[in-house]
Amino acid sequence: MSTHHHHAKDFLFTYIFSTDHKMISKQFLVTGFLMGFIGLIMSTLFRLQLGWPGESFEMIELLMGSWQEDGVMAPDKYLSLVTMHGTIMVFFLLTAGLSGTFSNLLIPLQIGARDMASGFLNMLSYWFFFISSVVMLCSLFVEGGAASAGWTIYPPLSALPQAIPGSGAGMTLWLVSMSIFIVSSLLGSLNYIVTILNMRTKGMSMTRLPLTIWAFLLTAILGVLSFPVLLSAALLLVFDRSFGTSFYLSDIYIGGQVLEHSGGSPILFEHLFWFLGHPEVYIVLLPALGITSEIISTMTRKPIFGYRAMIGSMMAIGFLSFIVWGHHMFLTGMNPFLGSVFTFTTLLIAIPSAVKVFNYLTTLWKGNIVFTPATMFSVGLVSTFISGGVTGLILGNSALDINVHDTYFVVGHFHIVMGLSAIFGMFAGVYHWFPKLFGRMMNNKLGNIHFWITICCAYGVFFPMHFLGFAGVPRRYYTNSEFPMFDNMIDINVFISVCAILAMIGQLVFFFNFVYSAFRGPKAPMNPWKGNTLEWTSPVEHFHGNWYGEIPAVYRWPYDYSKVNANGEYVYGEDFIPQTTPLGDDEKDGGEH
Amino acid sequence: MMTIIVVVAVILVVIAGSQLLKIAELRALSKGELIYEVSEKEGKQSGLLMLGFFAAFMAFFAWQMWSWYGLKLPVSASAHGVDTDWLTGATYAVITPVFILTNGLLFFFCFKYSYSSTRKATFFSHSNKLEMIWTIAPSLVLTVLILMGLSNWNKIMTPIADEDDRVLIELTGQQFTWTARYAGADKKLGRSHVTLIEGVNATGVDATDDNAKDDKLVKGEFHLPVGMPVQFVFRSLDAIHSAYMPHFRSQMNCVPGITTQFNFVPTKTTEEMRKITNNDEFNYVLLCNKICGAAHYNMQMDIVVESQEDYDKWLAEQKTFVE
Ligand code: HEM
Ligand SMILES: [Cu+2]
Ligand SMILES: [Cu+2]
């Protein structure tokens, strides 16, 4: 009896309330992916409506049965789905899922620490995230439906249940869920920062950190500085909704009634929201960029080109991301001079972004590229980062934004540059570090199939959206059929929807590969990709503490791949030199010759 | 029934897939290979596919341009819109080559440098010169784009000062309709407030204000005289709306509690535009472009641009707000 009791307790603390960063990483990954899959299904549902407006679908009936008896989506349900899709993808999949998984897994392993600074806070961070996910999903089932004011939840729409049914209980739960989410994110980020700054192993100076760690560090700093602002915005909104204050509301006449609110301004909300909202884009993106930097360098068997420039450009992007939020608000009636300033700062961000792209290209140049699925997804990221990034020059230029603001051009732009890039980075990371996560290998062939389906369908979904934007089609429209001027858009919409359905089916290949490999894949060796970084010196099996005996010390930067001596031979006989190898007498560190 | 079949099929596929994976793994082992190691041949195939993908991507791009580019908005019907379109075009002239070239290099490198056991990767970790080049080159291009954009932006956003030589219209958004208010003979809009909304006074115009006496409220469609600067003032009564007039390259949010503004000069009458687009049913529209509730997708108002005489005639027929 007592042993049984003991087992249960072991199980509880190993798998559920674990304080080990590797287990917490897996928890984030699985929860994030489940949320992501739900978000994906939602997008398929509303793409059905957009491709074939007003038609009845069995899938809609099956999944939304009790709400949409006849299988036809209602307009306010459409907006609920769009809102939940955006929220889930941005926050749950690509913030918590991405950072939570890889910061947790890689920070201790790559800096040479036994665990996070505080394992307990780390555990809390996951459980807050879990609770907020549950609350967010529950909000789908309340009266009036889930929040439906867009993921940006601008008041007054989000403040007044009279304005849309989803602004009732659904919105309340959205705010509760996001508040819990923010707590989770802050606990996680503080932990990451402290760990990186204080717990590096001997020899691991800041300039010997892998770019992944730099990316996670900057991401965490962005999060700590910007999420609290969203929290305060959300709290003020709660006051306006429930306690009759007027932070965001003024002069409102709705449903035949004049409301008593007076003196507030929804613009205040927009400022607070986008003060988080824009850095959020980089909170999503930077970890993906860090991950691919690492993978591209390892798999091209070449040092990353411009290590310092990569760090510098990430810092520049991080800093600038705090002074560009106004580009979402050019048309709110802000002072035109302010608009000019935001145009200026916004287009500045293009410079460090361009530097990163060129550095990636130069890293691939004259490499010896090993095409694992991780490599492919990293290449995919560079491609989407380019294809989505260039259209930013249109949107960031206030004069040009006037005509494309809030059209499908924007939807195309941000999905490619942020959604796809971050998703690709996340997939790349999963394929690459799967051996560290689960001690087994994923199947390459299925991974390749997954990559090709995903990149083809993803471009198929989001590239044509630019053309809808040229035609002036607004986003967040339940259907375009009310406007004769949009009548001939239906071909594009059908094309997009077909690609979206195929993309979703393609993800099943991944899920199958993931689940199968986690349990039955071939056992992983310690260093399957011949990497230099410290995680590949830690044993495959998981135990608290990461290394038996001493933590290894570090003697060099992480990118000594294909380093040759004067005779053109590999310095140590292999095309890689782990960070734990002491520097030779005639060797210089940091990629210098 | 259908559901059961699907479920059974999925289960079978999963079982078959698992078996196949196991077999592949064992087969590789029997040949002394590790299944997760990418062979040189596979690597070459992937590299080739990368190049193929780029070709397909460009073909896809060309096909879309061919079949969908023509669906874009017709030529601008406002004066500033011509500049907007020009600058948009100029920006495309910059970004399209960058898009093609950098994507091209990316996939070409993938093809060219896929793994070969006989070759060594080049240890090339940084070059100040190269990094300088690709910091400075984009900066120069961006400077030009920013400067042109800003001069354009400042021109567009400057309100029309001359009160005699402009049409003043207030557009008020409300779930899910628009109301236009014309300033009338005195060229001034009267005060308004939500507490005064009642019946036909849909936007709460203050009847005690002298300036309001000749204001005219219009629904359904509103008219503009061609060639005359139009100063718009925007209001909202409930959620945030956005007054989007795509044919005039014009858009501004309508925010409850404050007024916002925008102006343009319409340069083509509805008739002219019908000829240009070859479409007898063409109409300019005002649409809502900020999510504002369930029927956001259908919040519209027609716009008619006509000669000054026709416009004067139409306006004279509209009732003033006091009538
Ligand atoms: C195949 C996958 C996806 C498809 C088909 C898809 C499709 C769409 C479409 C069509 C919209 C616009 C709906 C409208 O404006 O009416 C939308 C909105 C959005 N999507 Fe996705 N999406 C996908 C994946 C993602 C990913 C990975 C992200 C992560 C960043 C994402 C984030 C968003 C956001 C933030 C919005 C805006 C929601 C709003 O307007 O409030 N989506 N999606
Ligand atoms: Cu932004
Ligand atoms: Cu509206």
Side-chain angles (χ1 to χ4, degrees):
Chain A
M1 186 65 216
S2 84
T3 49
H4 179 88
H5 181 77
H6 216 83
H7 266 119
K9 212 170 143 190
D10 270 1
F11 178 82
L12 198 65
F13 287 98
T14 316
Y15 294 102
I16 313 288
F17 296 112
S18 169
T19 55
D20 183 40
H21 70 103
K22 300 182 291 297
M23 181 50 71
I24 294 174
S25 160
K26 287 194 267 190
Q27 292 173 327
F28 268 109
L29 180 63
V30 171
T31 316
F33 267 154
L34 285 179
M35 290 300 276
F37 198 65
I38 294 171
L40 187 69
I41 304 253
M42 289 177 169
S43 72
T44 316
L45 286 176
F46 64 68
R47 271 312 328 173
L48 285 178
Q49 157 62 25
L50 288 172
W52 301 272
E55 268 183 51
S56 163
F57 283 96
E58 260 181 55
M59 182 167 167
I60 295 184
E61 180 143 25
L62 182 72
L63 290 175
M64 303 175 69
S66 46
W67 295 288
Q68 317 288 180
E69 297 288 348
D70 45 0
V72 182
M73 193 179 291
D76 65 313
K77 289 298 175 293
Y78 172 88
L79 291 179
S80 288
L81 284 181
V82 170
T83 303
M84 294 304 273
H85 160 80
T87 307
I88 287 177
M89 289 301 193
V90 172
F91 293 114
F92 289 78
L93 175 64
L94 294 178
T95 302
L98 179 56
S99 274
T101 304
F102 290 103
S103 297
N104 265 310
L105 178 71
L106 295 179
I107 289 175
L109 283 173
Q110 288 193 330
I111 68 171
R114 299 220 181 265
D115 202 330
M116 285 288 176
S118 166
F120 180 69
L121 289 189
N122 211 18
M123 176 190 85
L124 279 189
S125 163
Y126 171 73
W127 283 102
F128 274 115
F129 167 56
F130 182 81
I131 295 169
S132 86
S133 307
V134 172
V135 174
M136 192 56 86
L137 292 181
C138 286
S139 80
L140 287 164
F141 303 97
V142 296
E143 197 188 334
S148 20
W151 80 284
T152 50
I153 59 156
Y154 286 178
L157 186 57
S158 60
L160 308 172
Q162 307 92 302
I164 193 165
S167 290
M171 193 66 219
T172 305
L173 288 184
W174 193 100
L175 290 166
V176 170
S177 164
M178 278 312 294
S179 305
I180 303 172
F181 181 93
I182 292 169
V183 173
S184 150
S185 162
L186 290 177
L187 289 175
S189 299
L190 285 172
N191 227 334
Y192 306 151
I193 297 172
V194 172
T195 309
I196 294 173
L197 293 183
N198 292 320
M199 298 176 62
R200 281 165 289 134
T201 183
K202 201 162 134 272
M204 183 64 93
S205 60
M206 292 304 274
T207 49
R208 283 181 181 159
L209 284 178
L211 287 174
T212 32
I213 303 300
W214 269 106
F216 300 150
L217 175 64
L218 292 168
T219 305
I221 294 174
L222 293 189
V224 167
L225 293 179
S226 62
F227 266 118
V229 180
L230 180 63
L231 184 59
S232 48
L235 287 181
L236 298 187
L237 186 54
V238 169
F239 284 134
D240 273 11
R241 288 165 49 83
S242 308
F243 306 114
T245 55
S246 304
F247 291 104
Y248 305 134
L249 305 175
S250 190
D251 300 346
I252 289 171
Y253 174 89
I254 190 166
Q257 266 184 324
V258 178
L259 303 188
E260 290 189 15
H261 298 278
S262 130
S265 167
I267 304 297
L268 170 63
F269 179 85
E270 293 192 26
H271 280 294
L272 294 175
F273 180 86
W274 286 113
F275 190 81
L276 158 91
H278 192 86
E280 171 65 19
V281 173
Y282 293 98
I283 291 175
V284 161
L285 206 58
L286 284 180
L289 291 172
I291 286 170
T292 43
S293 303
E294 188 64 29
I295 294 175
I296 286 185
S297 173
T298 309
M299 299 326 259
T300 51
R301 317 307 294 159
K302 262 188 79 182
I304 191 83
F305 181 79
Y307 173 74
R308 277 160 200 265
M310 287 301 224
I311 297 173
S313 50
M314 284 199 284
M315 284 177 169
I317 289 175
F319 171 74
L320 288 172
S321 75
F322 278 103
I323 51 172
V324 300
W325 79 90
H327 61 215
H328 300 275
M329 300 170 59
F330 285 139
L331 301 178
T332 53
M334 64 160 57
N335 186 317
F337 176 71
L338 202 53
S340 309
V341 175
F342 280 121
T343 293
F344 177 70
T345 53
T346 299
L347 295 195
L348 274 188
I349 286 206
I351 300 170
S353 309
V355 169
K356 287 197 83 75
V357 167
F358 290 123
N359 283 0
Y360 282 133
L361 289 181
T362 317
T363 307
L364 289 167
W365 177 69
K366 293 200 173 178
N368 210 359
I369 309 170
V370 183
F371 280 110
T372 61
T375 322
M376 311 251 241
F377 273 103
S378 305
V379 171
L381 174 143
V382 180
S383 173
T384 54
F385 193 52
I386 296 168
S387 312
V390 287
T391 49
L393 294 194
I394 304 263
L395 292 164
N397 204 338
S398 51
L400 307 184
D401 182 54
I402 295 172
N403 200 42
V404 279
H405 180 76
D406 266 342
T407 64
Y408 262 88
F409 191 86
V410 178
V411 182
H413 160 76
F414 78 72
H415 273 97
I416 296 183
V417 76
M418 160 169 93
L420 293 186
S421 299
I423 278 276
F424 282 16
M426 187 165 178
F427 281 137
V430 170
Y431 282 110
H432 194 77
W433 281 289
F434 200 81
K436 285 264 63 113
L437 281 164
F438 295 98
R440 291 169 187 272
M441 308 297 290
M442 285 182 86
N443 184 281
N444 282 345
K445 286 225 168 52
L446 288 183
N448 292 356
I449 295 175
H450 172 225
F451 169 74
W452 289 116
I453 296 183
T454 305
I455 192 167
C456 292
C457 295
Y459 270 129
V461 169
F462 298 116
F463 214 91
M465 288 188 183
H466 297 100
F467 293 86
L468 293 175
F470 294 158
V473 179
R475 70 193 273 207
R476 294 167 171 171
Y477 265 28
Y478 163 69
T479 167
N480 302 327
S481 44
E482 297 298 330
F483 291 84
M485 70 185 274
F486 300 142
D487 277 351
N488 35 21
M489 302 301 141
I490 195 68
D491 288 349
I492 307 188
N493 272 320
V494 169
F495 184 90
I496 294 176
S497 293
V498 170
C499 289
I501 293 166
L502 293 178
M504 189 199 68
I505 295 172
Q507 302 318 303
L508 298 179
V509 177
F510 172 78
F511 278 93
F512 170 70
N513 195 357
F514 184 90
V515 176
Y516 172 87
S517 305
F519 294 103
R520 299 188 58 194
K523 288 245 171 0
M526 199 145 115
N527 189 358
W529 319 124
K530 305 200 173 114
N532 285 343
T533 36
L534 281 185
E535 76 272 29
W536 306 114
T537 64
S538 114
V540 174
E541 67 275 15
H542 283 184
F543 54 92
H544 213 153
N546 296 339
W547 285 273
Y548 297 116
E550 298 256 305
I551 299 178
V554 159
Y555 301 96
R556 59 175 73 235
W557 79 324
Y559 298 112
D560 274 338
Y561 290 105
S562 300
K563 198 173 187 183
V564 290
N565 58 21
N567 306 329
E569 290 155 355
Y570 292 132
V571 177
Y572 292 89
E574 292 256 28
D575 67 352
F576 68 112
I577 313 173
Q579 286 188 279
T580 47
T581 313
L583 274 182
D585 290 339
D586 48 353
E587 260 191 288
K588 286 202 192 121
D589 193 18
E592 303 291 336
H593 279 282
Chain B
M1 190 59 207
M2 194 59 199
T3 325
I4 297 175
I5 296 178
V6 170
V7 169
V8 171
V10 167
I11 294 176
L12 286 179
V13 168
V14 167
I15 294 177
S18 313
Q19 294 309 323
L20 282 177
L21 284 193
K22 215 59 222 175
I23 292 169
E25 191 190 325
L26 292 175
R27 217 184 59 187
L29 265 185
S30 72
K31 283 195 271 171
E33 291 164 3
L34 292 168
I35 186 164
Y36 51 82
E37 276 183 0
V38 186
S39 72
E40 227 174 298
K41 194 168 130 246
E42 281 169 332
K44 284 272 169 304
Q45 276 169 3
S46 293
L48 203 62
L49 277 174
M50 288 274 171
L51 197 63
F53 173 77
F54 177 67
F57 188 20
M58 288 302 112
F60 176 55
F61 181 42
W63 172 71
Q64 289 176 91
M65 291 296 285
W66 170 260
S67 37
W68 295 336
Y69 186 65
L71 300 179
K72 71 179 198 311
L73 290 166
V75 292
S76 169
S78 70
H80 77 269
V82 177
D83 297 336
T84 311
D85 287 358
W86 185 86
L87 188 55
T88 307
T91 311
Y92 276 115
V94 173
I95 63 181
T96 311
V98 171
F99 158 70
I100 295 175
L101 250 149
T102 41
N103 263 305
L105 283 179
L106 174 69
F107 290 110
F108 176 71
F109 289 166
C110 286
F111 160 72
K112 175 109 196 268
Y113 300 111
S114 65
Y115 187 81
S116 147
S117 53
T118 56
R119 198 162 43 83
K120 286 192 175 68
T122 308
F123 189 88
F124 182 40
S125 62
H126 77 106
S127 147
N128 291 342
K129 200 170 115 208
L130 280 179
E131 282 161 86
M132 270 328 240
I133 292 177
W134 50 66
T135 309
I136 291 172
S139 314
L140 291 180
V141 176
L142 284 171
T143 312
V144 177
L145 288 178
I146 291 177
L147 288 179
M148 293 199 295
L150 290 186
S151 86
N152 210 335
W153 166 253
N154 287 326
K155 249 191 344 222
I156 297 173
M157 299 313 283
T158 315
I160 304 167
D162 186 351
E163 287 194 10
D164 291 327
D165 201 22
R166 67 172 192 188
V167 180
L168 179 60
I169 300 176
E170 178 195 72
L171 283 176
T172 303
Q174 172 183 14
Q175 284 186 337
F176 297 96
T177 63
W178 296 100
T179 310
R181 174 155 66 117
Y182 284 76
D186 63 359
K187 305 207 175 216
K188 286 200 175 68
L189 288 167
R191 278 192 308 266
S192 60
H193 197 261
V194 282
T195 47
L196 303 173
I197 296 175
E198 208 186 341
V200 286
N201 187 0
T203 66
V205 182
D206 185 349
T208 61
D209 183 356
D210 279 344
N211 289 335
K213 296 255 150 58
D214 59 352
D215 289 1
K216 296 181 169 180
L217 290 182
V218 181
K219 285 204 167 246
E221 70 176 36
F222 69 99
H223 291 220
L224 302 175
V226 70
M228 188 71 150
V230 186
Q231 179 69 51
F232 287 99
V233 177
F234 303 99
R235 282 174 61 208
S236 163
L237 302 184
D238 37 45
I240 301 177
H241 304 273
S242 189
Y244 184 34
M245 295 174 256
H247 302 103
F248 305 97
R249 314 295 186 258
S250 148
Q251 175 167 206
M252 185 50 69
N253 292 169
C254 311
V255 185
I258 61 172
T259 58
T260 52
Q261 49 182 323
F262 198 91
N263 66 79
F264 63 78
V265 185
T267 53
K268 295 188 170 58
T269 63
T270 303
E271 280 310 317
E272 281 167 339
M273 205 53 151
R274 284 182 180 168
K275 289 215 185 73
I276 292 173
T277 56
N278 235 334
N279 175 3
D280 291 340
E281 269 140 46
F282 175 88
N283 268 322
Y284 293 119
V285 283
L286 159 68
L287 31 83
C288 178
N289 197 16
K290 187 62 84 186
I291 181 172
C292 62
H296 165 59
Y297 67 94
N298 187 13
M299 174 166 165
Q300 51 178 310
M301 190 172 189
D302 280 344
I303 309 171
V304 176
V305 181
E306 58 201 0
S307 67
Q308 186 76 43
E309 301 93 74
D310 290 349
Y311 168 77
D312 290 338
K313 211 159 85 206
W314 173 81
L315 194 60
E317 283 164 14
Q318 306 304 311
K319 292 211 179 72
T320 65
F321 150 72
V322 216
E323 289 167 344

